[in-house]
Amino acid sequence: MYEFAYHRPNSVRKAASLTASGEAKLLAGGQTLLPTMKQRLAAPDALVDLAGIEVLQGIELKGRTLHIGAMTRHADVASNATVREALPALASLAGGIGDPHVRAMGTLGGSIANNDPAADYPAACLGLGATIVTNKRRIAADDFFTGMFETALEDGEIITKVLFPLPRRAAYAKFDNPASRYALVGVFVSKRGRDIRVAVTGAGPCVFRVPAMEEALGRRFSPKSLEDISVDAGDLNSDIHASAEYRAHLVGVMARRAVLAT
Ligand SMILES: Cc1cc2nc3c(=O)[nH]c(=O)nc-3n(C[C@H](O)[C@H](O)[C@H](O)COP(=O)(O)OP(=O)(O)OC[C@H]3O[C@@H](n4cnc5c(N)ncnc54)[C@H](O)[C@@H]3O)c2cc1C
């Protein structure tokens, strides 16, 4: 490590002003940022720790929308009674992230800001049509995840919470990498009125929807409707863990399992 300043503001406004100048970085649970700094892949001159900002914490159901603060830890989403009752697919997704240490420290905001191509929360946000609220604006999940480790966030923009509209049916099916528990392929499926969503993580450079599957499920919401639909392996990741063709096959399998589980 090397020298850097450490700030722990108690409001979003103070955090925003601390990140406005220099090479400061927001710190959530440090699960990605600290290893990146240790490897010297990032060298911020200051860390702005969001852990002291109360309004970024917590889970609340308002009408048919679940509000989850950006600093809410995965373990808290997994164990929260309101989430388990109102949106069990999200509680179970959070409970399947990494290991107990990662779930105790990792946060919703940190996960989606980082937008790792194999992370689980991006699939939930896109698959539920969530809205990402920042200190400046509201961003639809459809516009938020723009590429590998890329999002629509501007420099220093702070995610404050995520709004999840409650679906009528939803489930997440993940084929995980046994070492890291990151998704080799994960598929989140939801149905809310006529809005049917199929969001895939782990398979490509960035989370994506599968319109052909959504249309087929719109005609009949059954795993059978997906039997003849495949995704193009040409657009998918290939690495030591799985070839693009294997991932393409898994997308179909996980999508059918998710529909069955809704
Ligand atoms: C061993 C291991 C296994 C893992 N397995 C999984 C897995 O199975 N599935 C999965 O989805 N994830 C997995 N993760 C990722 C983990 O769940 C964290 O969510 C992720 O590492 C981000 O960590 P964090 O929340 O601590 O954010 P940090 O590391 O503190 O921050 C990450 C990035 O987000 C920015 N940031 C943080 N908060 C905000 C905010 N509110 N607004 C704007 N920018 C912000 C930071 O500046 C930084 O650039 C794993 C991580 C590890 C180390």
Side-chain angles (χ1 to χ4, degrees), residues 25-33 50 70 74 96-99 102 105-107 109-111 113-114 119-121 153 157-159 174 180-182:
K25 272 276 196 188
L26 298 168
L27 175 68
Q31 294 304 288
T32 292
L33 185 53
L50 301 174
H74 308 328
I97 293 176
D99 52 39
V102 171
M105 293 303 294
T107 66
S111 173
N114 193 48
D120 298 299
Y121 270 127
L153 291 173
E157 188 169 3
I158 301 172
I159 301 167
K174 164 170 157 178
S180 69
R181 307 279 309 277
Y182 271 107

Side-chain angles (χ1 to χ4, degrees), residues 5-205:
Y6 172 81
H7 304 285
R8 193 178 158 100
N10 58 11
S11 75
V12 173
R13 200 143 62 89
K14 283 184 196 154
S17 74
L18 285 163
T19 49
S21 59
E23 291 293 307
K25 272 276 196 188
L26 298 168
L27 175 68
Q31 294 304 288
T32 292
L33 185 53
L34 297 185
T36 312
M37 288 170 65
K38 283 184 187 162
Q39 291 165 13
R40 308 225 163 199
L41 296 170
D45 59 21
L47 288 186
V48 179
D49 191 346
L50 301 174
I53 306 175
E54 226 169 278
V55 292
L56 299 182
Q57 314 273 354
I59 297 170
E60 204 180 347
L61 183 61
K62 293 187 180 175
R64 297 283 302 160
T65 306
L66 195 57
H67 293 226
I68 305 189
M71 281 298 289
T72 310
R73 316 277 173 177
H74 308 328
D76 294 327
V77 174
S79 63
N80 181 272
T82 305
V83 184
R84 290 169 77 102
E85 161 113 32
L87 193 37
L90 190 68
S92 119
L93 174 146
I97 293 176
D99 52 39
H101 170 92
V102 171
R103 292 195 290 277
M105 293 303 294
T107 66
L108 171 59
S111 173
I112 63 172
N114 193 48
N115 193 20
D116 188 298
D120 298 299
Y121 270 127
C125 290
L126 195 60
L128 287 163
T131 301
I132 290 87
V133 183
T134 78
N135 59 329
K136 297 182 175 169
R137 58 195 165 130
R138 289 169 174 242
I139 310 169
D142 284 315
D143 302 323
F144 184 82
F145 303 102
T146 53
M148 186 184 275
F149 296 107
E150 297 284 338
T151 69
L153 291 173
E154 293 163 4
D155 279 350
E157 188 169 3
I158 301 172
I159 301 167
T160 56
K161 61 181 169 179
V162 180
L163 313 182
F164 294 98
L166 295 189
R168 204 154 64 80
R169 301 166 73 162
Y172 180 59
K174 164 170 157 178
F175 191 94
D176 55 9
N177 177 322
S180 69
R181 307 279 309 277
Y182 271 107
L184 214 52
V185 167
V187 180
F188 200 105
V189 172
S190 81
K191 182 176 192 323
R192 186 168 57 99
R194 288 181 171 203
D195 189 19
I196 291 174
R197 287 170 172 259
V198 177
V200 178
T201 189

Side-chain angles (χ1 to χ4, degrees), residues 196-198 208-220 222 225-232 255:
I196 291 174
R197 287 170 172 259
V198 177
F208 63 92
R209 290 174 66 181
V210 188
M213 288 187 175
E214 294 174 353
E215 281 156 29
L217 291 173
R219 288 190 290 276
R220 183 168 168 236
S222 152
S225 305
L226 303 182
E227 268 169 8
D228 298 327
I229 301 174
S230 56
V231 295
D232 186 353

